[in-house]
Amino acid sequence: MVACLLFALAPILPARAQVLPGGMPALPRVPASAPIDTLDGALSDPAGDVLGTVRIYRQQAEALLREARPQVARAPDGEIMRRAEYLALDIDTADLDAIRAAGFRIVREDRDDELGLSISLLRDSRDRSPGRALRALRAALPGRTIEPHHLFLPAGGPASQAHESASADAGLRVGLVDGGVDATAPALARTRIVSHGCDGRSLPQPHGTRVAMRLVAGAPATLLAADLWCGQRVGGDTLALVEALRWMAQQRVAVINISLVGPDNTALRRTVEALLARGQVIVAAAGNDGPAAPPRFPAGYPGVVAVAAVNARGGLLPESAVGKHVSVCADGVVDARTRGTSFAAPVVAHILAGVWTAPAPGHSAEAMRVLARAARPARTSRCGLGIIAPT
């Protein structure tokens, strides 16, 4: 049924629809080197009426497993991961011989004393299945936290470079963790964009650009934008997300928007907890796998502002995730072809970014009070504090 609906929808999809989230079966395959072009809710007719509910996160995951199998594998928890890569937390020099004897090598070590994080990236040199590799690692490192190197997906010298339009001036200062942002987009003409990641060569992608447009909403702004994909098909892994958040911590960004979803991961959870304790506010998309889906992360972590999506009439989008962790709903419909919780989250982040210029302890709790004052009543009890409308 879904394939038929997609076939019928094909004439109204944009020119780059071949890279819709999930690489849906009725659409052409995406080369491994192609940039991601994600539209969170593609199953709508030109009038915006829903034609069907799509589990978008799962479709994206299945597409990556099909199209990038040399780089992607399914972890024992059912989520997707970078093939043969695992994360170990808080290992020390006494663990090195055990790691090598078990057939793994340390590819990278990330230590951040300020945030209290120590994460090591390990690679399996024996090409074992993820289940066997994890068992071997956990046996070699008893008591250590060992996890797959999970991938996160859109919900639809110096490593930084700045693009500034002549008309940009003081205003919002807000963070974005997503794909690359097109600094030449007319809607971002008043935005100074500081790009992070990709060795200073961030590549614009439609998802990141559209989220950025909603995040600044035409206001004068400085946007600190971390690119997790660098134009590649496979990106958005746990370490990239953690490193982006560490950069946001260093930059003392008060409010950070994350329109990405993935599984619970200890490295990510500890990073999020560290930022929240510092007084940084994280706004995250709840995800687009429907109301029966389990919580996705980072939206599912306590203290994160989790955002579900409604239409302009206040009706919950059928693809929007819901649950007790949802803090608030926001309008997630950009146009007839672009919708989802990815585009609801920045509506909320925009409101909060207008309140603070720097982080301070207690902002996470204060964010809920700000949103309670800004929200209007919802037609559903599943919208937490209510609905935030775009400015």
Short mmCIF file of all heavy atoms in Angstrom, two decimals, residues 158-161 178-180 195-203 205 225-232 243:
data_model
loop_
_atom_site.label_atom_id
_atom_site.label_comp_id
_atom_site.label_asym_id
_atom_site.label_seq_id
_atom_site.Cartn_x
_atom_site.Cartn_y
_atom_site.Cartn_z
N PRO A 158 41.71 24.96 12.29
CA PRO A 158 40.41 25.16 12.85
C PRO A 158 39.40 24.35 12.07
O PRO A 158 39.52 24.19 10.86
CB PRO A 158 40.20 26.68 12.73
CG PRO A 158 41.06 27.11 11.59
CD PRO A 158 42.26 26.19 11.66
N ALA A 159 38.36 23.87 12.77
CA ALA A 159 37.31 23.10 12.13
C ALA A 159 36.08 23.94 11.93
O ALA A 159 35.00 23.42 11.77
CB ALA A 159 36.97 21.87 12.98
N SER A 160 36.20 25.23 11.95
CA SER A 160 35.06 26.12 11.82
C SER A 160 35.30 27.13 10.71
O SER A 160 36.43 27.48 10.39
CB SER A 160 34.80 26.89 13.13
OG SER A 160 34.58 25.99 14.19
N GLN A 161 34.22 27.59 10.11
CA GLN A 161 34.31 28.66 9.15
C GLN A 161 33.05 29.50 9.28
O GLN A 161 32.00 29.00 9.65
CB GLN A 161 34.44 28.12 7.72
CG GLN A 161 33.29 27.22 7.28
CD GLN A 161 33.53 26.66 5.92
OE1 GLN A 161 34.57 26.84 5.32
NE2 GLN A 161 32.54 25.95 5.40
N ASP A 178 22.94 19.30 12.84
CA ASP A 178 22.16 18.76 11.72
C ASP A 178 23.10 18.52 10.55
O ASP A 178 24.29 18.33 10.74
CB ASP A 178 21.06 19.77 11.33
CG ASP A 178 19.82 19.10 10.76
OD1 ASP A 178 19.89 18.60 9.64
OD2 ASP A 178 18.78 19.09 11.45
N GLY A 179 22.55 18.56 9.33
CA GLY A 179 23.37 18.58 8.14
C GLY A 179 23.83 20.00 7.85
O GLY A 179 23.50 20.94 8.59
N GLY A 180 24.59 20.17 6.77
CA GLY A 180 25.12 21.49 6.43
C GLY A 180 24.02 22.48 6.08
O GLY A 180 22.93 22.11 5.64
N SER A 195 30.04 27.66 10.88
CA SER A 195 29.93 26.23 10.60
C SER A 195 31.04 25.47 11.30
O SER A 195 32.18 25.91 11.36
CB SER A 195 30.03 25.98 9.08
OG SER A 195 29.00 26.65 8.42
N HIS A 196 30.68 24.30 11.83
CA HIS A 196 31.64 23.47 12.55
C HIS A 196 31.62 22.05 11.97
O HIS A 196 30.58 21.51 11.64
CB HIS A 196 31.28 23.42 14.03
CG HIS A 196 32.16 22.49 14.83
ND1 HIS A 196 33.44 22.83 15.20
CD2 HIS A 196 31.94 21.24 15.31
CE1 HIS A 196 33.97 21.83 15.88
NE2 HIS A 196 33.08 20.86 15.96
N GLY A 197 32.81 21.45 11.90
CA GLY A 197 32.92 20.08 11.41
C GLY A 197 33.39 20.01 9.98
O GLY A 197 33.54 21.03 9.29
N CYS A 198 33.64 18.80 9.51
CA CYS A 198 33.99 18.55 8.11
C CYS A 198 35.31 19.22 7.71
O CYS A 198 35.51 19.59 6.55
CB CYS A 198 32.87 19.01 7.16
SG CYS A 198 31.23 18.46 7.65
N ASP A 199 36.21 19.43 8.69
CA ASP A 199 37.49 20.09 8.42
C ASP A 199 37.29 21.44 7.75
O ASP A 199 38.06 21.82 6.85
CB ASP A 199 38.39 19.20 7.56
CG ASP A 199 38.79 17.92 8.27
OD1 ASP A 199 39.02 17.98 9.50
OD2 ASP A 199 38.86 16.86 7.61
N GLY A 200 36.24 22.15 8.17
CA GLY A 200 35.99 23.47 7.62
C GLY A 200 35.35 23.47 6.26
O GLY A 200 35.25 24.51 5.62
N ARG A 201 34.88 22.29 5.79
CA ARG A 201 34.28 22.20 4.45
C ARG A 201 32.84 21.67 4.55
O ARG A 201 32.48 20.69 3.89
CB ARG A 201 35.13 21.31 3.54
CG ARG A 201 36.53 21.84 3.28
CD ARG A 201 37.26 21.01 2.25
NE ARG A 201 37.52 19.66 2.74
CZ ARG A 201 38.57 19.31 3.46
NH1 ARG A 201 39.46 20.21 3.80
NH2 ARG A 201 38.74 18.07 3.86
N SER A 202 32.05 22.30 5.36
CA SER A 202 30.64 21.92 5.49
C SER A 202 29.93 22.08 4.15
O SER A 202 30.14 23.06 3.44
CB SER A 202 29.96 22.79 6.54
OG SER A 202 28.60 22.47 6.65
N LEU A 203 29.11 21.09 3.79
CA LEU A 203 28.39 21.11 2.51
C LEU A 203 26.90 21.27 2.78
O LEU A 203 26.33 20.53 3.58
CB LEU A 203 28.65 19.82 1.73
CG LEU A 203 30.11 19.59 1.30
CD1 LEU A 203 30.24 18.23 0.63
CD2 LEU A 203 30.57 20.70 0.38
N GLN A 205 22.98 21.01 2.87
CA GLN A 205 22.00 19.95 2.64
C GLN A 205 20.62 20.52 2.93
O GLN A 205 20.46 21.36 3.83
CB GLN A 205 22.29 18.74 3.52
CG GLN A 205 23.60 18.06 3.17
CD GLN A 205 23.92 16.90 4.11
OE1 GLN A 205 23.38 16.82 5.20
NE2 GLN A 205 24.81 16.03 3.69
N ALA A 225 26.33 26.24 13.63
CA ALA A 225 25.78 25.07 12.95
C ALA A 225 26.83 23.98 12.82
O ALA A 225 27.83 24.14 12.12
CB ALA A 225 25.26 25.47 11.57
N ALA A 226 26.59 22.85 13.49
CA ALA A 226 27.49 21.70 13.40
C ALA A 226 26.97 20.72 12.35
O ALA A 226 25.82 20.29 12.41
CB ALA A 226 27.59 21.00 14.76
N ASP A 227 27.80 20.41 11.37
CA ASP A 227 27.43 19.53 10.26
C ASP A 227 27.90 18.11 10.59
O ASP A 227 29.10 17.86 10.72
CB ASP A 227 28.09 20.02 8.97
CG ASP A 227 27.69 19.24 7.74
OD1 ASP A 227 27.03 18.19 7.88
OD2 ASP A 227 28.06 19.66 6.63
N LEU A 228 26.95 17.17 10.71
CA LEU A 228 27.29 15.79 11.05
C LEU A 228 27.46 14.89 9.83
O LEU A 228 27.86 13.74 9.97
CB LEU A 228 26.21 15.18 11.95
CG LEU A 228 25.92 15.87 13.28
CD1 LEU A 228 25.10 14.97 14.17
CD2 LEU A 228 27.19 16.28 13.99
N TRP A 229 27.15 15.38 8.63
CA TRP A 229 27.18 14.52 7.44
C TRP A 229 28.29 14.89 6.46
O TRP A 229 28.79 14.01 5.75
CB TRP A 229 25.83 14.54 6.73
CG TRP A 229 24.90 13.52 7.28
CD1 TRP A 229 24.72 12.23 6.86
CD2 TRP A 229 24.03 13.68 8.40
NE1 TRP A 229 23.79 11.59 7.65
CE2 TRP A 229 23.36 12.46 8.61
CE3 TRP A 229 23.77 14.74 9.27
CZ2 TRP A 229 22.43 12.28 9.63
CZ3 TRP A 229 22.84 14.57 10.29
CH2 TRP A 229 22.19 13.34 10.46
N CYS A 230 28.64 16.14 6.37
CA CYS A 230 29.71 16.57 5.45
C CYS A 230 29.42 16.12 4.02
O CYS A 230 30.33 15.76 3.26
CB CYS A 230 31.06 16.05 5.91
SG CYS A 230 31.46 16.52 7.61
N GLY A 231 28.14 16.07 3.65
CA GLY A 231 27.74 15.72 2.29
C GLY A 231 27.73 14.24 2.00
O GLY A 231 27.46 13.84 0.87
N GLN A 232 28.02 13.39 2.98
CA GLN A 232 28.09 11.96 2.76
C GLN A 232 26.77 11.27 3.07
O GLN A 232 25.95 11.76 3.84
CB GLN A 232 29.19 11.34 3.63
CG GLN A 232 30.58 11.89 3.34
CD GLN A 232 30.99 11.68 1.90
OE1 GLN A 232 30.95 10.56 1.39
NE2 GLN A 232 31.39 12.76 1.23
N GLU A 243 30.70 15.09 19.71
CA GLU A 243 31.70 16.13 19.47
C GLU A 243 31.04 17.46 19.16
O GLU A 243 31.51 18.52 19.61
CB GLU A 243 32.62 15.70 18.33
CG GLU A 243 33.94 16.45 18.27
CD GLU A 243 33.82 17.82 17.63
OE1 GLU A 243 32.96 17.99 16.75
OE2 GLU A 243 34.59 18.73 18.00
#
